[in-house]
Amino acid sequence: MYDLIIKNGWVVSDSSTIKADIAVKDEKIAAIGNAADFGEARRVIDVQGKYVLPGVIDAHMHVEAPFAGCFGANDFYTQSISAAFGGVTTFMDFTNTFKNDSVLEKIKVRHEEMSKSAIDYSIHGKFVEAPQRVIDEIEKIVDYGCPSFKLFMTYKKEGVMADDETLIKVFARSKECNALPMVHAECNAIAELNIEKFREEGDLSWPKFAEAKPVLCEAEAVSRAIYFTKYVGNALLIVHTTNGEALEIAKRAQEQGYPVYIETCPHYLTLFQDIYEKPEGFLAICSPPLRTPEEAEKLWKGIQEGVISVTGSDDCTYSIHEKTMFLEKDEEGNIIPDFTKVVNGLSGIETRLPILLSEGVNKGRISINKLVAITSTNIAKLLGCYPQKGIIAPGSDADLVVVDLEKEVTLSAQVLHNNIDYCLFDGMKVKGYPVMTISWGSVIVENGEFKGKKGAGKFIRRSINPEYLKEFSL
Ligand code: URP
Ligand code: ZN
Ligand code: ZN
Ligand code: ZN
């Protein structure tokens, strides 16, 4: 007797799409084949004509994270609801590390904070310094099941920048411990010098934000991080990459055999810096800044060619209140633009899959198999939870998302579930939408309704297969 049978769907992996039925027992995928051979199940769901994908993994988001005086609009429970509506069944966040902290202790704190999630979760350790005391913790953090680390190459003023020495030391110990460092690559010096210049010129309006952190500001840091990786011999994941120049640098390293992996995010594929010309441009302030349609096409090409192997949302959902709370107003009550006073970050965990389905698969830019690779399989492999996650195969967790490639939705704050009253994708028509999300064999979203439970998510202990950290291939 099975717990669940999902029949008549197209079952998708990173390399195949087959018409097959799926049987679930004791929270795991038990069989893939013909329902006629399966026998009885407690529930049978007919998904005729729809696509069944491995549950989406979002390894890049920031929730309950004190940053620039803000905390974000969601907690891990509300975030997990929004995520589930977007087909996400596992998400990962970072420790809130500051100087003098024990990263391992911060991992344990985060573990507790995330335990209210309705979906599975894991944690990346964030490193802001690397004294021996911190380096000595790395092995313990890996043993705890968290073999991935975040380092910011900017945000010095916010107190979270890792300097070059820190990067090299963490890269080196990561290599020894089979862990994957991830970097936010922007040159802090270029950004700060530009900001000082614009401040002296008296113009810190929203469009100046993109000018302060241009492509070269990002490319310099991408290049530096990659040279450190060449020096150390570790594997590296560069997050939220926005432009063709950064991709060229990464591609060259990949061709030379270095395990350099690249992530991009849906907002860099679909939102552009012209938003900063609008009065509400502050809502789109995120780092790195939004770029141009030309850069976005280079990112799509990077996905097609495999230079980019993963996507993340970089969800960092702030209310309008938080986005504006440090801005001053003139006598008429109008906001005086100053991008340095706006917290960085966009909302996007729920829209990542729909946007990639619509702009990617339905517009013919990527296959549905590539979509599975960049939203699930490659992330599971690279971050060490494959094949428990990232594939529909016997023995894997029964984390599934049913997708209707014909379903059309106009995105707005009303159709999303992310605790804010604006939507940067407002009015965008997407074709292709998740219609059912299943976690460990339980339906958690169905017919537009959330059916999950607070605290039902499990902490996923990860361990990375060293093969994926050796050379560039997944
Ligand atoms: O602007 C962004 N991306 N905010 C979140 C923190 C980060 O840089 O990833
Ligand atoms: Zn970042
Ligand atoms: Zn981020
Ligand atoms: Zn307030």
Side-chain angles (χ1 to χ4, degrees):
M1 181 82 167
Y2 289 114
D3 298 320
L4 175 67
I5 289 174
I6 297 161
K7 64 176 197 181
N8 296 323
W10 291 99
V11 179
V12 190
S13 77
D14 64 345
S15 56
S16 68
T17 307
I18 57 166
K19 189 101 202 184
D21 307 321
I22 301 167
V24 173
K25 189 171 169 61
D26 298 334
E27 307 183 322
K28 302 271 181 186
I29 308 284
I32 299 168
N34 190 333
D37 305 328
F38 290 164
E40 303 264 295
R42 276 184 197 87
R43 182 172 178 197
V44 177
I45 302 173
D46 191 334
V47 296
Q48 186 64 50
K50 298 192 177 64
Y51 291 75
V52 187
L53 280 47
V56 169
I57 303 170
D58 200 333
H60 192 167
M61 63 170 195
H62 307 266
V63 181
E64 296 187 33
F67 188 70
C70 299
F71 198 67
N74 284 298
D75 64 25
F76 285 107
Y77 176 53
T78 60
Q79 180 84 353
S80 68
I81 296 173
S82 181
F85 277 101
V88 178
T89 53
T90 302
F91 57 28
M92 303 182 200
D93 203 317
F94 309 86
T95 55
N96 291 316
T97 311
F98 294 95
K99 284 219 169 16
N100 300 318
D101 280 345
S102 152
V103 181
L104 180 61
E105 286 311 310
K106 288 291 177 118
I107 292 254
K108 291 174 186 167
V109 169
R110 212 58 175 154
H111 186 161
E112 176 59 33
E113 286 167 348
M114 293 187 83
S115 65
K116 53 184 163 302
S117 169
I119 63 170
D120 290 352
Y121 55 93
S122 184
I123 306 152
H124 313 290
K126 186 198 294 165
F127 288 77
V128 299
E129 57 179 353
Q132 196 56 41
R133 152 188 81 74
V134 168
I135 293 297
D136 288 344
E137 288 187 327
I138 287 184
E139 192 172 17
K140 297 183 196 112
I141 296 167
V142 172
D143 290 344
Y144 195 88
C146 299
S148 48
F149 310 131
K150 174 72 170 287
L151 299 119
F152 285 108
M153 296 173 77
T154 187
Y155 296 142
K156 191 172 182 182
K157 287 193 171 138
E158 289 79 359
V160 294
M161 185 179 99
D163 63 17
D164 291 352
E165 238 178 272
T166 300
L167 288 168
I168 292 172
K169 286 181 178 169
V170 173
F171 285 11
R173 190 65 185 139
S174 298
K175 179 181 159 67
E176 291 166 351
C177 295
N178 220 21
L180 181 69
M182 315 155 75
V183 293
H184 170 131
E186 283 188 300
C187 175
N188 193 71
I190 292 175
E192 280 195 15
L193 289 167
N194 278 338
I195 290 168
E196 279 328 299
K197 182 164 161 269
F198 298 159
R199 194 186 300 283
E200 277 160 28
E201 291 167 0
D203 186 0
L204 293 168
S205 59
W206 322 134
K208 286 292 197 183
F209 173 67
E211 259 184 68
K213 297 171 155 207
V215 164
L216 75 87
C217 174
E218 184 182 339
E220 185 282 329
V222 164
S223 174
R224 182 157 33 104
I226 289 177
Y227 274 110
F228 291 165
T229 275
K230 291 182 176 181
Y231 171 61
V232 169
N234 62 299
L236 178 66
L237 173 59
I238 297 171
V239 298
H240 53 42
T241 305
T242 70
N243 66 82
E245 187 155 338
L247 290 189
E248 284 304 317
I249 296 165
K251 187 178 174 181
R252 181 156 158 255
Q254 290 168 352
E255 284 168 355
Q256 292 166 338
Y258 292 99
V260 170
Y261 296 94
I262 301 292
E263 176 204 75
T264 194
C265 315
H267 45 281
Y268 298 116
L269 296 164
T270 51
L271 298 177
F272 310 114
Q273 61 192 29
D274 58 346
I275 298 187
Y276 301 130
E277 308 283 344
K278 298 184 186 171
E280 70 275 22
F282 62 89
L283 294 172
I285 287 186
C286 64
S287 284
L290 300 175
R291 308 288 189 203
T292 60
E294 293 71 35
E295 296 298 350
E297 285 312 319
K298 291 176 197 168
L299 295 175
W300 283 114
K301 186 159 168 265
I303 295 173
Q304 287 153 8
E305 291 179 345
V307 178
I308 295 172
S309 40
V310 296
T311 58
S313 67
D314 196 9
D315 186 288
C316 206
T317 299
Y318 294 110
S319 63
I320 293 180
H321 171 71
E322 279 193 303
K323 278 276 187 187
T324 55
M325 64 196 278
F326 298 110
L327 290 165
E328 280 156 37
K329 292 189 176 155
D330 64 17
E331 302 90 72
E332 277 111 64
N334 300 312
I335 283 172
I336 302 169
D338 179 345
F339 69 78
T340 67
K341 293 188 171 145
V342 180
V343 64
N344 287 207
L346 305 187
S347 189
I349 200 160
E350 190 172 341
T351 44
R352 170 161 155 252
L353 178 61
I355 287 173
L356 292 171
L357 284 167
S358 185
E359 292 297 308
V361 176
N362 269 329
K363 291 207 171 152
R365 289 183 173 116
I366 56 172
S367 68
I368 195 156
N369 311 100
K370 180 63 99 175
L371 174 131
V372 164
I374 63 171
T375 58
S376 188
T377 313
N378 287 352
I379 303 167
K381 286 181 173 173
L382 206 47
L383 291 171
C385 53
Y386 183 87
Q388 181 185 1
K389 309 289 187 190
I391 184 170
I392 303 173
S396 295
D397 293 349
D399 294 348
L400 306 164
V401 52
V402 181
V403 158
D404 182 348
L405 272 184
E406 301 303 319
K407 182 168 174 168
E408 295 183 79
V409 174
T410 302
L411 297 177
S412 70
Q414 287 68 44
V415 305
L416 301 174
H417 305 79
N418 57 357
N419 265 358
I420 49 170
D421 46 15
Y422 67 94
C423 171
L424 285 170
F425 301 101
D426 195 41
M428 180 175 170
K429 290 189 173 64
V430 292
K431 184 175 175 188
Y433 217 82
V435 293
M436 181 182 283
T437 307
I438 296 169
S439 163
W440 293 91
S442 294
V443 175
I444 59 167
V445 172
E446 181 177 20
N447 301 322
E449 237 180 278
F450 178 69
K451 300 191 164 173
K453 279 194 205 77
K454 189 171 184 172
K458 297 182 172 74
F459 173 68
I460 302 302
R461 267 173 220 289
R462 297 178 288 120
S463 152
I464 306 176
N465 179 341
E467 288 307 307
Y468 301 133
L469 301 182
K470 264 197 221 136
E471 58 187 84
F472 179 71
S473 60
L474 284 172

